[in-house]
Amino acid sequence: MNKAAALHILVKTESEAEALKKCLEKGEDFFKLAKKHSTCPSKRQGGDLGEFKKGAMVKQFDDAVFAKGSEDKPLIGPVKTRFGYHLIKVLYKS
């Protein structure tokens, strides 16, 4: 597997990420929460990063997305990178 597509929400603090994770676990819409809270430019697309190759993202993000079984999890994170804390939803891997 060397390609994946994912959505993410990037925030500055772990506590923000944990609060958003609770909202997502209660069924709130990922797209809307990303648009409102994410600090990444991808927020305009609801956090959609599109398809990317293994190694294209920072290591911690890449490791989380390409971990075995990640596509079966409804939500991954918070994952800490130099950009902040990510909540990640893997759409597919191939």
Side-chain angles (χ1 to χ4, degrees), residues 60-80:
Q60 300 90 333
F61 190 96
D62 220 45
D63 289 351
V65 169
F66 289 98
K68 187 174 182 181
S70 64
E71 69 278 12
D72 298 325
K73 294 180 180 174
L75 192 61
I76 301 168
V79 174
K80 187 180 189 304

Side-chain angles (χ1 to χ4, degrees), residues 7-9 12 18 23-24 34 40-41 56 58 69 74 78 85 92:
L7 307 174
H8 83 135
I9 298 172
K12 289 187 182 342
E18 289 293 350
C23 293
L24 290 165
C40 179
V58 293
Y85 292 84
Y92 66 83

Side-chain angles (χ1 to χ4, degrees), residues 4-73:
L7 307 174
H8 83 135
I9 298 172
L10 174 63
V11 293
K12 289 187 182 342
T13 68
E14 190 172 11
S15 59
E16 278 179 281
E18 289 293 350
L20 288 168
K21 185 174 184 176
K22 285 187 176 102
C23 293
L24 290 165
E25 287 169 345
K26 289 179 189 166
E28 288 194 44
D29 186 77
F30 198 102
F31 186 89
K32 287 180 185 168
L33 288 177
K35 269 184 117 71
K36 186 173 180 183
H37 298 282
S38 186
T39 60
C40 179
S42 69
K43 73 184 197 172
R44 288 189 291 279
Q45 295 85 247
D48 192 345
L49 296 169
E51 187 176 273
F52 51 90
K53 291 185 177 181
K54 189 171 188 170
M57 301 295 183
V58 293
K59 182 174 179 0
Q60 300 90 333
F61 190 96
D62 220 45
D63 289 351
V65 169
F66 289 98
K68 187 174 182 181
S70 64
E71 69 278 12
D72 298 325
K73 294 180 180 174

